[in-house]
Amino acid sequence: MRRAVWFLAAVAIAVVVAIGLLQASGDAPQTPKASFDANTALAQLEGAPAPLAALHVRANELVDGGVGAFEAQLKKLRGYPVVISKWGSWCGPCRAEFPVFQRVAARKGKSVAFLGINGQDPTDEAEAFLAEFPLSFPSYVDKGGGEPVATAVDAAGPFPITIFVDRKGEIEIVLAKPYGTVAELEADIKLYLRA
């Protein structure tokens, strides 16, 4: 009788573990394999106004320079709506939303500026991530404690965060959520930036 109890307990534990593993794998963020071609995207962006074209020239680049360089870039973009994505290579939701930013930036990059803020990443890991998910715009590196670049646009804290900056250079809204679809990000660009 004791053996039967031990056997049933072992089977019950195995079933619970198997169910837990199945549920965990279903809840894990899945990184869509993008069929995104950075060269094609950049070709589509040719003819963009000079301030936006200057971003495309720096596509996929990690930019140092801290808050000063970031704020100088935002100043150059006055007159255009700006979408800023704060991301980290280690962040599962960031990985999941990157294909959305790739596509929307390629579609809207002639009228809307896109920038990234990379935080809490060693340079080699950020570069490897961008090699896997190339962008048509640069990302500013947020070094040091306290997230100084993100703090400059009210985006310190969780990852990912998207910041919408209007044509006057004023922050419209800061959203701490991942984007799951192109339509969702484009709808927020239209809603918050009227672009």
Side-chain angles (χ1 to χ4, degrees):
M1 182 72 167
R2 256 178 141 172
R3 283 188 181 180
V5 170
W6 281 107
F7 176 75
L8 289 174
V11 168
I13 289 171
V15 168
V16 168
V17 168
I19 290 171
L21 289 172
L22 286 172
Q23 288 177 341
S25 69
D27 290 342
Q30 300 295 316
T31 303
K33 287 299 172 191
S35 58
F36 179 79
D37 181 352
N39 292 328
T40 300
L42 290 171
Q44 291 172 340
L45 293 169
E46 287 180 11
L52 303 182
L55 297 178
H56 307 149
V57 168
R58 301 178 83 186
N60 227 33
E61 186 178 319
L62 290 170
V63 180
D64 281 321
V67 175
F70 184 73
E71 288 180 340
Q73 179 63 75
L74 284 178
K75 190 173 183 180
K76 290 177 189 175
L77 294 170
R78 294 250 169 96
Y80 297 94
V82 182
V83 177
I84 305 165
S85 171
K86 184 178 104 169
W87 61 273
S89 67
W90 48 269
C91 163
C94 299
R95 283 186 166 272
E97 81 171 1
F98 243 58
V100 171
F101 275 90
Q102 287 175 314
R103 285 171 174 72
V104 174
R107 288 169 64 156
K108 299 193 80 62
K110 285 187 176 183
S111 59
V112 176
F114 288 83
L115 293 171
I117 299 174
N118 172 249
Q120 302 177 14
D121 257 331
T123 301
D124 60 336
E125 291 178 22
E127 287 173 346
F129 183 70
L130 289 173
E132 184 179 353
F133 296 101
L135 296 172
S136 59
F137 54 89
S139 292
Y140 285 75
V141 178
D142 209 355
K143 290 184 178 175
E147 298 184 275
V149 176
T151 299
V153 285
D154 299 331
F159 286 75
I161 289 181
T162 304
I163 305 99
F164 296 86
V165 179
D166 69 15
R167 296 171 198 276
K168 296 176 188 173
E170 301 293 324
I171 296 170
E172 280 292 314
I173 193 164
V174 176
L175 299 176
K177 68 171 191 169
Y179 282 94
T181 67
V182 166
E184 183 184 3
L185 179 55
E186 287 184 341
D188 278 358
I189 290 170
K190 186 175 183 180
L191 175 65
Y192 299 119
L193 301 176
R194 292 164 280 300

